[in-house]
Amino acid sequence: VFAVSYTATWTASQHDQAAYQVGADIRMDPGRRAGSPPNWAIDRLLADTPGVMVWTPVSRDPISLARASRSAEVLGIDALTAAEVVAFRTDIADVSLQRLIAPLVAGRPQVNFIPLPFGPGERHLLRVTADVEATELTTEGEPGDPNLVRGWPGLSVAVVLRDATGALFRFTGESGPLGRENDLVVQIGTAGADSRAAFAYPLELVAIELSVDTPPGTVVSGGSVALRGVSAQIDGVWTPVPLHLDGGWRARASYFRGFQQPVDLSDDADGLVASVGGASLPALLPLDAAGRGMVMTLAPEILTAVTSGTVPLLLTDAGLDATGHGAGDDFTMRIAEGNRNVAIVGVVRGFPGTAAGQPVVIADLPTLALLQFERAGTVGEAEEWWLRVDGGQGASVALGLAQPPLLADAVMETDERASALSRDPVALGIIGALTIGSVAAALFAAIGFVISMAVSVRERLTEFALLRALGLSESQLMAWLALESAVLALISLAAGTAIGLAMAWVALPSITVTQDAKAPFPPVEVHIPWGSIAVLEFVGLAVLGLTLLAVTRLMRSSGIAARLRIGED
């Protein structure tokens, strides 16, 4: 019983460790090589992958925690789908992952941006109409003619979109000259005349980024940067995208990818216009040595609201210790490029996909994306995708992910990882030794039982003959012997099973260790293979039955009269 329990417990522990290390059935790192799909296309490609049932994007970012003795990280995960994907064993938290993650879903900012009229199977094009005018400038420190910058290709555009999953994506468009109105087209999706985009719809326009630079040595200290309008191409026709918002627009400028500062913006019939030369936008500058210029980001004012709320977080035990706070506390933490008001809404002993004992902060990925963009204007991409697959298809799905069209850089599959962990020679040696020992012990016990019973019966043949002579039938005599042997066998089986189970419950959590001779995480759960134990019990009872059959043949071969005469002699 102990041997089969050890084998079952050790095997289950390897699978639990593998699931914890991988985080889900499969963990995929998206491809970065030539021919790999862009991040925005992965969601729909996974939807079309046979065997993949649910998936969630994941990001990892380092974080500084005051009391952390080892590296800490922020794990961003889509809280809407995490509970269906993450290989979360219930004993590593006091409640289910569904209940733990619910506050992260509830705390996601409800911000509606500008809807875009795009759908599946279409070629997505946005046209941004913008211009940059110069009224005052200096060249090499001397006043210059504003007409000198006209025609300089210093205006380019990019847009930031959000899909139905809450992920943000940036798409860069065309460039145009300063000094005149430009219609700059942005291809949303894959470039090419025959391209078709496949997003998680609907799509929303989050921001428009106007990048401006001037000729070398030229500084524009008077003028304007204006967004005149946006239109989308639908069935070959350019359709205006309404830019009017009840909350209005806000603008921020960043020089050389530095800190974003607010820009005064006028919103009128001519569009959104920022004046150059004031305190908020003092000048337009040439590119620096690294090729960086000024970027003005135009976004709905409602985006600012995402910073006003409290960000709900889950923490591991180590992460909680590193913060110096307790469950339910509200405090300020630097996360997503800024200092945020956060609340610890749940604590777990560990979170799948992270190292055991590592300080980890778990947050909703779409929430982090909005906070990061609002604070720094950066658009992060999911670094991993965790997948739940249909039963038994893990290996085939993992193989397909590495092939076109996904071309994943790395794929980890739980069953494959468990197989690798199960090759530990020390543990396999222990299992082999226990198996050989238990088989040998069972054989010796069976042989001993048979011999003991046979000798006992042979010594008592005269007694049995006398009982037969006094009228005891053969069937009654056999029932007596069966009951006598059954009591001995059942007591032995029950005692052996109980001792084996007690040894398993007491010893297995301590002796089932990793290849590094460390306690595994998640902790070992003792698994009792009742089916195998039932087979063992059946074999024991079968030995009893065969022994009784042999004794019956022995007794029948001895005549009553002969045994009585032998007794008289």
Side-chain angles (χ1 to χ4, degrees):
V1 169
F2 178 76
V4 296
S5 297
Y6 179 93
T7 302
T9 298
W10 181 82
T11 302
S13 179
Q14 305 315 299
H15 189 275
D16 288 346
Q17 293 176 58
Y20 184 86
Q21 293 170 16
V22 176
D25 292 344
I26 292 179
R27 188 168 83 198
M28 178 191 78
D29 293 348
R32 306 297 181 191
R33 48 189 159 158
S36 298
N39 205 273
W40 56 263
I42 292 178
D43 183 272
R44 293 299 88 194
L45 290 175
L46 290 175
D48 295 335
T49 301
V52 176
M53 302 179 68
V54 191
W55 55 93
T56 187
V58 176
S59 69
R60 297 178 190 267
D61 293 293
I63 188 174
S64 177
L65 298 177
R67 301 183 182 181
S69 59
R70 57 186 296 187
S71 62
E73 72 175 5
V74 176
L75 188 77
I77 191 165
D78 187 345
L80 283 175
T81 55
E84 300 180 72
V85 177
V86 177
F88 193 85
R89 218 176 71 178
T90 55
D91 64 327
I92 63 176
D94 295 331
V95 297
S96 67
L97 181 59
Q98 185 72 47
R99 291 182 60 185
L100 280 170
I101 215 90
L104 272 61
V105 177
R108 181 180 294 185
Q110 300 302 310
V111 181
N112 295 319
F113 297 107
I114 299 173
L116 294 176
F118 294 135
E122 301 173 350
R123 183 168 179 246
H124 302 342
L125 294 177
L126 278 180
R127 186 176 66 187
V128 177
T129 303
D131 62 75
V132 176
E133 293 293 340
T135 57
E136 297 181 25
L137 60 81
T138 59
T139 301
E140 303 297 340
E142 298 295 330
D145 183 357
N147 290 322
L148 294 176
V149 299
R150 292 184 181 276
W152 173 258
L155 173 63
S156 59
V157 67
V159 296
V160 177
L161 307 185
R162 182 173 71 170
D163 69 3
T165 70
L168 302 183
F169 305 105
R170 175 181 281 113
F171 297 94
T172 302
E174 297 176 336
S175 299
L178 307 184
R180 69 174 178 84
E181 191 172 282
N182 298 275
D183 289 330
L184 307 177
V185 176
V186 184
Q187 170 74 52
I188 309 300
T190 306
D194 298 327
S195 64
R196 294 293 184 270
F199 292 88
Y201 296 96
L203 296 179
E204 294 177 297
L205 178 63
V206 176
I208 300 167
E209 298 174 340
L210 300 176
S211 299
V212 183
D213 67 88
T214 60
T218 301
V219 176
V220 174
S221 55
S224 63
V225 178
L227 171 67
R228 303 300 180 183
V230 176
S231 54
Q233 189 180 80
I234 306 298
D235 296 329
V237 178
W238 289 105
T239 303
V241 175
L243 297 183
H244 176 73
L245 297 171
D246 292 338
W249 288 76
R250 58 102 159 144
R252 291 181 179 177
S254 170
Y255 289 91
F256 314 130
R257 297 185 185 174
F259 179 76
Q260 287 191 324
Q261 58 188 26
V263 173
D264 294 334
L265 192 66
S266 64
D267 185 356
D268 53 35
D270 292 331
L272 306 173
V273 182
S275 297
V276 178
S280 63
L281 189 61
L284 303 179
L285 305 176
L287 300 177
D288 66 1
R292 299 170 301 185
M294 188 279 291
V295 178
M296 189 172 75
T297 301
L298 303 165
E301 183 64 44
I302 194 173
L303 181 61
T304 309
V306 302
T307 62
S308 61
T310 298
V311 183
L313 302 175
L314 299 180
L315 271 71
T316 61
D317 283 340
L320 189 68
D321 293 340
T323 64
H325 292 274
D329 286 357
D330 292 2
F331 58 100
T332 300
M333 174 187 287
R334 183 165 182 81
I335 188 172
E337 306 285 355
N339 294 323
R340 313 288 182 183
N341 294 324
V342 302
I344 302 175
V345 298
V347 180
V348 295
R349 297 173 185 89
F351 198 84
T354 66
Q358 182 182 22
V360 180
V361 176
I362 301 99
D364 177 49
L365 182 57
T367 300
L368 290 178
L370 279 179
L371 289 171
Q372 182 174 317
F373 182 76
E374 194 281 333
R375 179 69 176 84
T378 55
V379 175
E381 292 187 345
E383 300 166 0
E384 302 170 1
W385 292 78
W386 294 7
L387 289 66
R388 179 165 67 89
V389 301
D390 200 2
Q393 298 191 46
S396 60
V397 170
L399 182 62
L401 295 176
Q403 307 298 321
L406 280 160
L407 290 173
D409 278 349
V411 179
M412 294 181 64
E413 196 254 329
T414 292
D415 290 342
E416 182 181 0
R417 180 60 181 158
S419 177
L421 293 176
S422 300
R423 299 190 188 105
D424 180 10
V426 175
L428 293 176
I430 294 174
I431 291 174
L434 285 173
T435 302
I436 293 173
S438 60
V439 171
L443 288 175
F444 278 113
I447 294 171
F449 183 80
V450 171
I451 293 175
S452 174
M453 190 171 182
V455 170
S456 175
V457 170
R458 182 173 289 279
E459 290 178 347
R460 298 161 64 191
L461 281 176
T462 300
E463 177 185 342
F464 294 156
L466 180 59
L467 292 174
R468 290 290 307 281
L470 293 176
L472 192 68
S473 67
E474 181 179 335
S475 60
Q476 290 175 319
L477 181 59
M478 294 310 302
W480 175 25
L481 286 175
L483 180 62
E484 180 182 280
S485 300
V487 170
L488 175 62
L490 291 176
I491 291 176
S492 301
L493 289 173
T497 301
I499 293 172
L501 292 175
M503 290 174 60
W505 285 110
V506 172
L508 288 183
S510 300
I511 65 175
T512 307
V513 297
T514 66
Q515 296 180 7
D516 299 329
K518 296 179 181 179
F521 195 88
V524 174
E525 285 187 332
V526 177
H527 288 258
I528 305 299
W530 295 108
S532 299
I533 292 175
V535 172
L536 294 176
E537 309 287 357
F538 176 80
V539 170
L541 294 175
V543 171
L544 170 64
L546 292 174
T547 302
L548 288 175
L549 182 61
V551 169
T552 302
R553 293 177 62 87
L554 176 65
M555 292 181 61
R556 286 174 176 172
S557 64
S558 301
I560 293 179
R563 299 312 302 178
L564 289 176
R565 285 195 297 273
I566 292 175
E568 291 173 355
D569 295 339

